[in-house]
Amino acid sequence: MASPESISRLDKLRALEAWLDWQLHQTRARIQEVEAQERQGQREPRGEEPPKQAERQVEERRRPRTPDWGLIEAGIGSPTAEVHRGDCWAAGKRLQEISRERAIAELADAARACEVCRPDRVLGTP
């Protein structure tokens, strides 16, 4: 098998051209199918979705909802509780989902605000 460095630029462009040609052929075939359905007064059957949209919906069902706010309880290495935005990358896997009101109350009760996502700024707490 040839290494990527040994493949010439022209060969790479020809491979790309072949793939794009295949994509164009697939697209034109799908257009013809849809045009034929419309001429016959048919639309795509109900309940059927384009494959990409169906795949996206399945993945969304599997993935847990991202909470708006979260709390990491005090423990080893963390002397105080810490409030995070739900999408904060620094929160890790120990993030416990909490409501907006509880996040505000925790910040007022000596919990620290995460220095990465700064929930105190979003919540308007000092």
Side-chain angles (χ1 to χ4, degrees):
M1 181 173 193
S3 67
E5 294 84 27
S6 67
I7 300 173
S8 75
R9 194 167 178 217
L10 182 59
D11 289 337
K12 290 177 185 178
L13 288 170
R14 285 197 174 132
L16 177 61
E17 177 187 35
W19 182 79
L20 289 170
D21 187 47
W22 176 81
Q23 282 285 350
L24 184 59
H25 174 75
Q26 296 293 317
T27 302
R28 286 182 175 154
R30 183 66 180 132
I31 288 170
Q32 288 177 347
E33 290 174 17
V34 172
E35 286 175 342
Q37 287 175 352
E38 286 182 358
R39 278 193 301 272
Q40 294 173 357
Q42 297 176 348
R43 300 220 168 133
E44 290 192 31
R46 294 197 120 204
E48 288 188 22
E49 301 173 27
K52 291 283 185 192
Q53 187 176 358
E55 289 172 16
R56 194 175 320 122
Q57 287 179 346
V58 167
E59 185 169 323
E60 286 173 358
R61 278 186 235 130
R62 271 187 275 183
R63 191 177 346 154
R65 186 186 76 75
T66 302
D68 294 331
W69 307 103
L71 180 71
I72 295 179
E73 296 287 343
I76 298 173
S78 179
T80 60
E82 192 171 72
V83 177
H84 292 264
R85 287 186 0 207
D87 60 352
C88 179
W89 62 267
K93 296 183 180 192
R94 299 181 318 159
L95 191 68
Q96 173 187 8
E97 182 176 355
I98 59 173
S99 68
R100 182 179 202 284
E101 292 76 24
R102 180 161 175 213
I104 292 169
E106 290 287 343
L107 288 170
D109 256 2
R112 290 185 335 176
C114 170
E115 293 183 14
V116 174
C117 64
R118 299 305 307 246
D120 52 333
R121 290 183 181 170
V122 179
L123 293 168
T125 57

